[in-house]
Each structure stands twice: as structure tokens, then as C-alpha cells.
Amino acid sequence: MIQEFTEQIEETARSVVNGIHTALPGIVAAFDPGKCVASVRPVGKYVTSSGEKIDFPVISDVPVLIPCGASGGIAFPISAGDSCLIICSEIELDEWRSGAASNAQLRFDLSNAVCIPGLFREAPDLIKRAAAQKATIISAGDTEIAVSPGGIHMKGNLTVDGNVSATGSIG
């Protein structure tokens, strides 16, 4: 009888833990740059309480974290097929989004996901080159700026809107 009771407690605990989501890899299905939200599909399978493995659903209206503030930062394009890390918030995001109080208890729920683009299975060429050069590389198509201990190297056309001043030689 005690063993059956223990098994029931363990099964209940497993069921509760299986419903808690923290972080998982995902793929961007669509991105809305006007709202800075994406639809993302978690990679892998969800295991139900009966042990069945099913695909995770696509999660829509997911806020995307981009290292950009109101006064500046880095912004980059996000496209369908890009890999990402999906983080599930400890609190319901509706309250953060709207400012209105919420009574929902959706801790670590997929409906409270945040997307962080840039999670890779293997490093793309840009990351490999940046590591080899000990550089920060900004790349868009054929245009590139590399900042390394040796200086700044730019490839592509340059348009300056404003003044240019220099100390030292130009040439």
C-alpha cells in the first residue's frame, strides 16, 4: 500500500513537472517587425502524462528580444527558419504588455514565451571568422564592418550623412 501511494505521488509530480517549461530551442515560423513579435515552433517533442510524444504547437505573438533600447542599439533582420531560444516567463506576459493586472496562473507556460534569436546548432561562417579574427563583425549581404585589435576594416560602399573628421593620415 505504501509503495502504491509513493508511485502515485511520483506520477503526480512527473505530470506537474512535465507542464513546466523553462527554455527550449525553436525555429521562427514568422516575424512581425512592426510589433516585434514572432510565431515560433519549439524543436523536439512534448511528452504527455500518458507517455505519448507529440509535436509542440507553434506559439504565436511571442515577444522577440533584440539588443536594442529606445535610444539605440543593434537591430537585425529576423526571418522564418532562423533558430532561436524560447524562454518561458515565470509570470504571465499579458500584465507586462498591457499594464493591466492579471489573475492568470500561467507560470512557465508556453503562452508566456519570449524568443531570443541566434541559437545555432553549429556556428555559421560569420561567427567562425569573428572568433578567428578576435573581431566584432557586422554583416549585411556583401557589406561588412569588422572591428578587431588591428583596427576597423570595412567592405562595401560608404555613405556619410554628416561631417567627417580625421586625425592622422588618410590614404
Side-chain angles (χ1 to χ4, degrees):
M1 168 144 335
I2 290 179
Q3 184 170 348
E4 291 171 354
F5 179 70
T6 303
E7 288 173 2
Q8 184 62 44
I9 289 174
E10 288 175 356
E11 183 179 324
T12 301
R14 263 192 303 280
S15 176
V16 169
V17 170
N18 283 344
I20 297 173
H21 304 286
T22 54
L24 55 164
I27 302 292
V28 173
F31 177 66
D32 180 345
K35 295 181 181 176
C36 201
V37 296
S39 292
V40 295
R41 182 178 39 84
V43 174
K45 300 281 186 182
Y46 176 76
V47 181
T48 67
S49 58
S50 64
E52 181 185 3
K53 293 182 179 181
I54 59 174
D55 290 332
F56 280 98
V58 171
I59 310 165
S60 60
D61 205 29
V62 177
V64 177
L65 181 124
I66 299 174
C68 190
S71 60
I74 299 171
F76 48 87
I78 298 167
S79 303
D82 287 352
S83 292
C84 64
L85 178 63
I86 301 169
I87 304 289
C88 296
S89 177
E90 183 175 341
I91 62 166
E92 183 178 354
L93 293 180
D94 288 346
E95 191 169 324
W96 165 74
R97 288 177 171 189
S98 69
S102 172
N103 294 328
Q105 298 295 317
L106 297 173
R107 295 178 60 136
F108 303 109
D109 190 80
L110 290 175
S111 64
N112 292 307
V114 174
C115 170
I116 304 173
L119 180 67
F120 299 102
R121 287 184 182 149
E122 42 184 79
D125 181 58
L126 182 64
I127 293 174
K128 291 175 185 175
R129 289 189 300 118
Q133 297 173 27
K134 295 183 177 29
T136 299
I137 301 175
I138 300 170
S139 175
D142 292 334
T143 302
E144 197 169 277
I145 299 172
V147 180
S148 68
I152 299 172
H153 176 75
M154 196 168 99
K155 181 175 102 179
N157 297 322
L158 173 65
T159 302
V160 177
D161 185 6
N163 300 321
V164 176
S165 61
T167 328
S169 63
I170 298 177

